[in-house]
Structure formats: C-alpha cells, structure tokens
Amino acid sequence: MSKIVIVGAGYAGVMAAAHLDRAGIPFTVVNNHDYHYFTTLLHEAAGGRGPAENYQVPIKEVLRKDTSELVIDEITGVDREKKVVKGKAGEYAYDYLIYSLGWISEYFGIKGLKENSMSITNLDSAVQIRQHIENEFKAYTQDHDPRHLRIALGGAGLTGIELMGELVDYIPTLCASLGISYNDVDMQCIEAMPTILPMVAEHLRPYVFETLTKKGARLRTGTKIMEVTPGVVHLDGGEKVEAGTIVWTGGVRANPLLADSGFTVDRRGKAKVNSFLQSTDDDHIFIAGDSAWAEDENGKPYPPTAQVAEQMGACVAHNLAALLAGKPMKNFKASLKGTLCSLGAEVGVGDAFGIPIKGATAGLMKEGSKIKYLWELGGVRLAGDRGKNVMQL
Ligand code: NAD
C-alpha cells in the first residue's frame, strides 16, 4: 500500500486530509500543532474579539477514521531522492507527499524589521499581539509615556486593514477598563503605495477610510517604512514614529523549505506545479495552498488566499485517490467567489462573485463564510459545534 504523508494542516492540508479521511485512504498528517487554526481570522484573535480557542479546531475532530494518523512535529526539510520528509523529532517516509506548509512574513530586506516588529503568523503570535497591546496600555497607567498608546501597523493590505478594524472596536473598551482617554491613543496604518486595499474596488476604498478614521484610526498612504529600530519606525520622509506596538502586515512569502529543498520557485518562494498540482520537479509530490505556484488557464498565478488553498486541498486529495486507483486526474481550476475584508465585527467591504459590497451586508457575508468553511471541513458536526464559537453566538 502507498504511504501518503501530508505536511502542514493549514487550509489546504486539512482539507486534503478531510477528503482522504472520508474516502478511507490511509495517510499521516505531520503538523506542528494538534489543532488547525483559521489563518483568515487571526486579526480577530489579535484584536481581542474572541479567545484563541474560538479560532481553532482539534485536528482529531476532522480526522475520524482509524486509517488517518496525526503526528506532531516541525518539518525541517524534504529529501526527494530518499522520499523522506525530515522533522525535528523524526523522519517520515512517503510514496506520495502533499506539501502544504503555507507562508511566512515577507520582510523585503528592510533593516531591523523582523527583529523589532511583531507579525500575525499563527494563533500564538496573534494572542501575543493582543497581550502586548494590553501590557503597553497598562504600562501607560504607571508612567504616562505616550509611546505606550501608539500602535503602528506596516502595510494596508487585507491583513493590516482587518487588524485595524478589530483595534478600533477593541481599544476603546480596553481604554475604558484602564481609565485611559481614547483620545490619547494613536493607531496608524502606514502604507507605501498611493492607495489602501488594491484588491477592493476603488469606489469602495473611501468607505474604508471613513469607517476606520471615524473610529479613531489613521490610514497613511504613500508612506514607506525604510527601517525599524527598537520602538521606532523610520519612514521615507525622515519621520520617526515611536510606538510601543509595531506590527508588520506588509506581505507574505511561501515557506522557505521549498527553495531550500531544491524546488523550482518563483520570486515569493512558491514551487511550480502542473495543472494536477504536482510539483514540476517531482510528480510524487503534490503542492497545495500558499506554497503552490499554480496558474489559471490564462497563465495568471492564483493568489495566496484561503479559498484557493481549500480548493487545492480538495483537488490534491481527489487526484491522489485517482492516481492510486489508476484513474485520470483532474485539472485544478479555482472558483473565485470574491474577497471580503472585515472592518470590525459589524461591517466589511469587498465583492461577492464580482459584485461590490460594503457595510453590514459584507460583514454578514464574512460571518457566513466562517460557517460555510466549517461545513466543508466537517459537515453539520463541525459547523454546529465550532460555528457557535467562531461566530460568538
Ligand atoms: P499584502 O501583500 O496583500 O499587503 C501588504 C501591504 O503592505 C501592501 O499594500 C504593500 O504595499 C504594503 N507594504 C509593503 N512594504 C511596505 C513598506 N516598506 N512600507 C509600507 N507599506 C508596505 O499582504 P497581506 O495583507 O498580509 O495579505 C497576504 C495575502 O493573504 C494576500 O494574498 C491576501 O489576499 C491574503 N489575505 C486575505 C484575507 C481575506 O481574504 N480577508 C485577509 C488577510 C490576508
């Protein structure tokens, strides 16, 4: 019997695992936690909307059959010649590998940025950001140093704007609980490009500005971060922003293991795949999610989004099952349903199937997308049990 190993239980890996589990095909998932977390909702955990446990599902709740095995380990490399993935705790031999180790922050070589900022890369780091902000605000009540109340976010893409949306809802409550005037808080999102949210229709961007600035945020465009030293963001015009909390939300790249393991990668470290999502370097390796350099029928690379990752996960499970059964595999084609950007718990902005939406409609659709995802992962069982947590019902 062929040995199947899945590395990484993000959106792509866990979806592939759920499909193989349902099909009763034996496999092993190697992941660094025993839970799968919702990467697209980490800004909620960082901004204090809900406790960390609301944003995760134990992998054992997804894998129900005894043909599925979960191993907790951190993967450090792939030896394609020996067909072995290496972890810190052991080695895992495979006949077929599903590689879905996701992304890391992209720092673009900006001096001091990695060392002197936080980033929302996983559930732990999201919780650390919330705790850090709370500690800074508590410190302000002791020494009244205004730097404790300054929060600087670097980059106004979806991550930066969604995090700011959470902060403008949460920080007033935090201030009230500590006896701090919200007027003394300075929260700024610093964006190098002339506009925020390039993926959202241009005519909707003023709504984002209005919603967030009315609630106390500053959105600064055309302002590039050049360097970060401890507690200081250095901007291109020479201005220095002294901030107790500095969060980098300026971009992502694929996990570097792919490049380190000799795969053909693009400028953001994604490995080239064919239309079946097999590595072009090795057809025993399927690559799914933000690590995959996959293109649509017009040669346009798919974006590193959760909806694409989930669909890739389902596709690699299907193709692997087909391959093992001697049946034809199918070409991957993502169905792009749109982009939704929350602006706090109530409202949002984006598009559904190309139709621009904003306000409560977008906020509700974003909430609905949480249940839809859980449904696809584990049917009524997960949507019912976990859905009420993640939607705080
Ligand atoms: P991004 O690359 O989309 O946005 C980063 C922003 O940072 C850009 O606007 C960029 O111009 C800016 N930036 C880069 N360098 C800078 C500098 N030196 N100074 C100031 N600004 C700088 O990154 P992201 O927002 O983390 O998103 C990453 C991926 O994840 C995207 O594909 C996105 O679609 C996806 N994502 C989706 C959702 C959602 O669907 N709601 C949420 C978060 C992320």
Side-chain angles (χ1 to χ4, degrees):
M1 190 189 304
S2 294
K3 253 191 199 150
I4 299 172
V5 175
I6 301 175
V7 290
Y11 287 105
V14 83
M15 197 56 87
H19 280 256
L20 290 176
D21 183 77
R22 274 176 228 157
I25 295 172
F27 65 93
T28 300
V29 186
V30 187
N31 194 52
N32 55 355
H33 300 109
D34 64 358
Y35 58 85
H36 158 71
Y37 58 83
F38 311 139
T39 314
T40 56
L41 303 180
L42 291 178
H43 58 279
E44 292 189 12
R49 200 191 304 190
E53 51 274 21
N54 284 8
Y55 302 101
Q56 56 174 274
V57 177
I59 295 169
K60 284 282 178 202
E61 277 188 27
V62 179
L63 308 181
R64 310 274 286 183
K65 298 218 167 105
D66 56 12
T67 42
S68 310
E69 185 194 16
L70 169 66
V71 174
I72 310 303
D73 197 359
E74 194 175 321
I75 297 302
T76 55
V78 182
D79 185 331
R80 281 168 23 210
E81 262 178 32
K82 291 190 185 149
K83 286 196 179 165
V84 159
V85 268
K86 295 176 180 170
K88 285 187 173 165
E91 295 196 342
Y92 311 95
Y94 64 84
D95 295 306
Y96 291 99
L97 176 65
I98 298 178
Y99 181 104
S100 46
L101 285 178
W103 54 273
I104 60 166
S105 292
E106 168 65 282
Y107 294 102
F108 301 109
I110 297 171
K111 201 171 158 198
L113 177 58
K114 184 174 181 189
E115 299 77 11
N116 298 308
S117 68
M118 295 180 283
S119 63
I120 313 186
T121 42
N122 54 43
L123 200 46
D124 291 341
S125 66
V127 171
Q128 273 163 18
I129 289 170
R130 190 183 70 219
Q131 286 168 344
H132 179 90
I133 293 172
E134 287 171 3
N135 289 340
E136 284 292 311
F137 278 52
K138 281 179 193 155
Y140 177 79
T141 63
Q142 302 300 309
D143 63 13
H144 292 280
D145 183 335
R147 288 176 294 189
H148 293 307
L149 300 187
R150 186 166 297 122
I151 299 172
L153 309 185
L158 285 161
T159 306
I161 292 296
E162 288 199 308
L163 178 57
M164 189 57 94
E166 297 302 315
L167 293 177
V168 294
D169 276 357
Y170 174 58
I171 298 298
T173 318
L174 178 63
C175 285
S177 72
L178 294 170
I180 296 170
S181 165
Y182 184 50
N183 291 333
D184 293 337
V185 175
D186 175 22
M187 295 186 285
Q188 42 183 294
C189 193
I190 302 162
E191 168 57 53
M193 302 304 283
T195 177
I196 59 163
L197 293 182
M199 65 297 290
V200 164
E202 198 173 346
H203 71 277
L204 294 179
R205 293 178 208 154
Y207 172 76
V208 179
F209 261 95
E210 199 187 312
T211 305
L212 296 181
T213 52
K214 243 194 211 162
K215 289 185 169 183
R218 283 207 281 158
L219 303 182
R220 308 178 61 179
T221 52
T223 310
K224 193 170 180 185
I225 294 173
M226 306 302 285
E227 184 182 350
V228 182
T229 49
V232 187
V233 181
H234 301 254
L235 305 180
D236 50 359
E239 185 189 345
K240 293 178 183 153
V241 178
E242 294 185 272
T245 302
I246 302 170
V247 184
W248 177 243
T249 52
V252 300
R253 65 179 294 111
N255 190 306
L257 276 184
L258 288 166
D260 296 348
S261 303
F263 288 86
T264 306
V265 296
D266 71 359
R267 66 186 175 89
R268 287 282 178 111
K270 296 167 154 203
K272 186 94 181 101
V273 292
N274 64 20
S275 63
F276 306 128
L277 300 178
Q278 289 164 299
S279 161
T280 52
D281 299 301
D282 187 333
D283 61 10
H284 284 75
I285 300 179
F286 288 83
I287 301 177
D290 295 354
S291 302
W293 171 12
E295 292 168 353
D296 67 15
E297 60 275 24
N298 301 316
K300 192 174 167 220
Y302 283 115
T305 63
Q307 59 176 308
V308 172
E310 289 161 36
Q311 294 174 39
M312 284 181 165
C315 182
V316 294
H318 173 279
N319 281 350
L320 193 42
L323 192 65
L324 295 175
K327 293 183 180 161
M329 295 190 282
K330 67 178 179 192
N331 293 324
F332 176 70
K333 186 173 177 348
S335 140
L336 300 175
K337 299 176 179 73
T339 302
L340 290 171
C341 174
S342 63
L343 303 171
E346 309 286 330
V347 295
V349 70
D351 76 280
F353 297 100
I355 299 166
I357 46 171
K358 67 175 185 180
T361 314
L364 276 172
M365 286 188 81
K366 178 97 187 185
E367 289 300 297
S369 69
K370 298 175 180 175
I371 292 290
K372 183 175 171 291
Y373 172 64
L374 287 168
W375 179 274
E376 280 164 7
L377 194 58
V380 70
R381 182 176 46 79
L382 273 192
D385 290 356
R386 296 274 152 192
K388 57 182 181 292
N389 289 348
V390 81
M391 292 184 78
Q392 289 123 56
L393 296 172

